[in-house]
Amino acid sequence: MNAQEARAAAERTARASYGRLLALLAASTGDLAQAEDALSAAFEQALISWPSDGVPANPEAWLLTVARNRQRDSWKSAYNRAFAPLDTTGELGRDAMAADVVEVDVDAIADKRLELLFVCTHPAIDPAVRTPLMLQTVLGFDAARIGAVFNVPATAMAQRLVRAKKRIKEARIPFVVPSRQDMPGRLSAVLEAIYGCYAIAWVGEFLENGGVGDASDAGGVAAADDLRGEAHYRAMTLAQLLDNEAEAWGLAALIAFSLARVPGRLEPAEPGRDRRFRPLEEQDTALWDAALIADGDACLRRALPVAVPGRFQLEAAIQAVHCARARSGLTDWTALRTLYAALVAVAPSLGAQVALASVIGRVENPEAGLTAMGAIAAGEPAWVRAAVERFQPFHAARAELLARAGRTAEASAEFTAAAFMTHEPAVRHYLVNRAEIG
Amino acid sequence: MRYTLLLHYPEMDAASLSEEAMAEGQRAFASYAATLHQAGVLLGAEILQPSSNTTTLTLADGVLHVQDGPFADTKEQLGGTFVIEVLDLDAAVEWGWLAPSIEWGSVEVRPGALFTVDGAWRPNT
């Protein structure tokens, strides 16, 4: 085996097992920073040993053993530094002595990733740092890549993450899954954090297409690329681990459906011109990922038997209706209206309200949709009106309704307004084009 | 792991508190201390006299100052402390919710760093 193959094997293991190994290493000590150091030392050791010794039969077990030995070494030196005068030898070993047994059966050890997710989203952790902390500890992203997608300088992001990990260790936030009674409040924070991973991947989509940011944002592009896939993987894992939580399945379905449609967003590449944006209704469903749609359907079926569907289940159901066009060739607008009305009742975001108005315009007639849009724009209090003014989807959706109503001049003005608010060049180009047609 | 529950609340003068309310508060704190003790987590507790009875010492430019009253004259003052020994933050928070003063103030849950045994410092673990 050469160094390149060893590196590839280490990277595969890192991708598949980083969070699982880190969770195991940190759960018994509560010290995430030390567990990270130990695990990265183990990966470095792998790059040295594997090219000559070959990749071990169980790379995870190998890495866990090496990392646990590192942890023990660091306890020893910390112990020697800090507590040499005290006689507390019993404190030292904890369960790290088990690392002497090289044949660790990783699969036989309980998975601690769920515990780690709940630590990252603990109420005692600043909400703004929860998603970044999850990206770093569960997914193994470094502070620079996380900073790139959150538009925060790498050093500032690194400091926030260090502070959060210090707090977890020193205040002793426990690595436990909350009780059934505490689960509802705690679960939503975990789902929000995973959804955050997915949502910021769209920021990456803009970066990828050369929009905001500059050419040096390559880190952001790479991170966003990984993020989309990882958010999907993480949501699936969480749903499977929690098993009976409908909202977790809803989130997994939502991400699967949304991912499935990504290949259809832009026209296929042609030499000599940029890829053009295609709105949802004009997308070629043959480009959508059928396997991901099937995944989404399966997840949504798991989520269904619930009395009052939550936000993520409703958003997933909406995506399912759009994806169903790949099979039926038709969009069921009436079903969309019902779902959006339910979503507005459960989670009344501006985006959901605009989408509902837009769907009303399709089910009834464009003027009815425009009336609903007008009601949003006249909303109370004043900050809602100001937010509507700056909300690009509002202008884009209103422009579409005006065009369908035959109000050409007004439509043209709204398409122009929407174009100016768009960072993504392909979308801007599309909207400018629509403004010209009227 | 040792945590100190720091009870902060607005101070009420005895005159504005009815005897009944005072007695009720005392009963609640008696029961809270007994519960912590029975659970085997209570290391010590102190309810403080009003901050009007406190004396604050400062050293400014090498000169000792003795001040009548608290360091900072804020609406809420430190009114009492409970030192408990529990497994982790979640357990400490659970006990914090049960402090009677949560009804009229805030409870700060603060992990300890060092404590003394026979006059020598020990790390909190």
Side-chain angles (χ1 to χ4, degrees):
Chain A
M1 160 152 319
N2 61 31
Q4 205 178 350
E5 284 165 344
R7 178 172 291 275
E11 276 170 6
R12 264 200 312 280
T13 314
R15 186 176 159 82
S17 312
Y18 183 88
R20 186 172 153 82
L21 291 172
L22 187 72
L24 281 171
L25 290 164
S28 54
T29 66
D31 191 341
L32 276 165
Q34 187 225 35
E36 284 172 336
D37 289 345
L39 188 53
S40 68
F43 275 110
E44 280 168 28
Q45 188 59 47
L47 294 180
I48 296 166
S49 306
W50 294 2
S52 51
D53 303 349
V55 176
N58 190 338
E60 280 194 343
W62 190 96
L63 288 161
L64 188 64
T65 303
V66 173
R68 282 205 161 149
N69 286 332
R70 286 286 182 149
Q71 274 184 315
R72 198 183 43 184
D73 291 348
S74 95
W75 284 323
K76 264 189 195 157
S77 60
Y79 171 84
N80 289 337
R81 272 199 310 277
F83 311 128
L86 296 176
D87 180 24
T88 52
T89 325
E91 280 291 297
L92 226 183
R94 301 205 196 179
D95 61 348
M97 292 305 180
D100 282 336
V101 185
V102 178
E103 294 304 315
V104 185
D105 184 356
V106 178
D107 294 323
I109 302 170
D111 191 342
K112 296 286 182 191
R113 279 174 299 177
L114 195 52
E115 284 83 348
L116 181 53
L117 280 175
F118 280 102
V119 166
C120 293
T121 56
H122 194 276
I125 299 290
D126 173 11
V129 83
R130 290 177 191 167
T131 298
L133 191 58
M134 196 179 86
L135 288 171
Q136 188 178 49
T137 59
V138 184
L139 303 182
F141 286 23
D142 64 34
R145 293 163 84 201
I146 299 165
V149 284
F150 279 89
N151 205 18
V152 170
T155 48
M157 182 53 82
Q159 275 169 10
R160 284 182 207 174
L161 290 165
V162 166
R163 263 202 303 275
K165 281 179 274 191
K166 195 162 177 262
R167 185 175 174 77
I168 289 165
K169 177 191 165 200
E170 292 181 353
R172 196 170 291 178
I173 292 176
F175 279 63
V176 292
V177 174
S179 62
R180 224 351 96 167
Q181 167 200 338
D182 295 335
M183 185 61 95
R186 298 287 307 277
L187 178 64
S188 66
V190 174
L191 295 174
E192 289 292 335
I194 294 175
Y195 187 69
C197 293
Y198 174 74
I200 60 175
W202 289 105
V203 178
E205 178 78 5
F206 299 151
L207 292 172
E208 198 177 2
N209 288 295
V212 293
D214 54 51
S216 65
D217 263 336
V221 175
D225 256 2
D226 292 350
L227 268 178
R228 259 203 290 269
E230 288 294 352
H232 177 227
Y233 173 71
R234 193 54 47 201
M236 288 295 276
T237 309
L238 180 68
Q240 282 156 3
L241 285 169
L242 289 171
D243 196 39
N244 284 327
E245 294 292 342
E247 272 292 83
W249 287 108
L251 177 63
L254 169 61
I255 294 178
F257 286 132
S258 309
L259 273 178
R261 293 196 288 96
V262 170
R265 278 188 87 239
L266 299 178
E267 287 179 2
E270 272 178 45
R273 76 164 213 215
D274 293 331
R275 296 177 67 186
R276 288 191 183 160
F277 170 75
R278 272 198 188 144
L280 177 54
E281 283 177 63
E282 292 166 27
Q283 285 174 20
D284 177 359
T285 60
L287 295 173
W288 294 354
D289 187 325
L292 276 172
I293 293 176
D295 269 3
D297 283 332
C299 290
L300 197 51
R301 273 197 299 277
R302 287 293 306 265
L304 272 181
V306 160
V308 184
R311 169 211 168 173
F312 291 120
Q313 291 159 75
L314 287 167
E315 288 196 43
I318 288 163
Q319 293 297 325
V321 171
H322 284 301
C323 286
R325 184 162 69 84
R327 286 190 302 268
S328 64
L330 295 169
T331 300
D332 185 346
W333 294 102
T334 312
L336 284 178
R337 180 180 186 163
T338 308
L339 290 167
Y340 271 120
L343 182 61
V344 166
V346 171
S349 70
L350 199 48
Q353 291 180 54
V354 167
L356 176 59
S358 186
V359 170
I360 288 172
R362 299 302 297 265
V363 175
E364 295 181 20
N365 54 63
E367 289 297 343
L370 286 165
T371 305
M373 288 280 182
I376 300 169
E380 290 291 338
W383 66 263
V384 173
R385 293 194 294 277
V388 169
E389 204 48 48
R390 288 191 307 272
F391 192 57
Q392 192 269 351
F394 173 83
H395 296 281
R398 186 163 180 274
E400 185 64 48
L401 288 172
L402 286 165
R404 284 176 190 273
R407 290 156 65 173
T408 317
E410 288 167 274
S412 184
E414 273 291 43
F415 276 122
T416 305
F420 272 113
M421 292 178 198
T422 307
H423 292 297
E424 194 183 353
V427 176
R428 191 165 51 227
H429 184 265
Y430 168 83
L431 291 169
V432 166
N433 206 26
R434 291 291 305 268
E436 283 162 7
I437 299 165
Chain B
M1 181 84 168
R2 296 163 74 111
Y3 294 85
T4 300
L5 308 178
L6 300 154
L7 314 184
H8 303 268
Y9 43 83
E11 291 175 310
M12 287 159 283
D13 56 278
S16 70
L17 265 181
S18 70
E19 254 175 57
E20 259 171 71
M22 190 71 102
E24 174 58 35
Q26 280 165 358
R27 268 197 304 277
F29 267 105
S31 138
Y32 184 51
T35 308
L36 288 168
H37 176 70
Q38 272 158 24
V41 299
L42 184 62
L43 296 175
E46 195 101 33
I47 296 295
L48 306 174
Q49 289 197 19
S51 63
S52 55
N53 290 347
T54 204
T55 304
T56 304
L57 312 180
T58 48
L59 181 64
D61 300 326
V63 182
L64 284 170
H65 292 268
V66 180
Q67 185 192 319
D68 167 25
F71 176 70
D73 199 7
T74 52
K75 192 167 142 285
E76 294 208 330
Q77 289 288 341
L78 180 63
T81 61
F82 283 77
V83 183
I84 59 173
E85 172 133 29
V86 292
L87 201 58
D88 55 42
L89 181 63
D90 282 1
V93 166
E94 286 290 319
W95 286 115
W97 285 126
L98 297 177
S101 63
I102 195 81
E103 302 273 347
W104 59 90
S106 60
V107 177
E108 189 181 331
V109 181
R110 187 97 162 246
L114 299 167
F115 62 98
T116 57
V117 176
D118 298 331
W121 289 108
R122 290 280 183 108
N124 180 33
T125 48

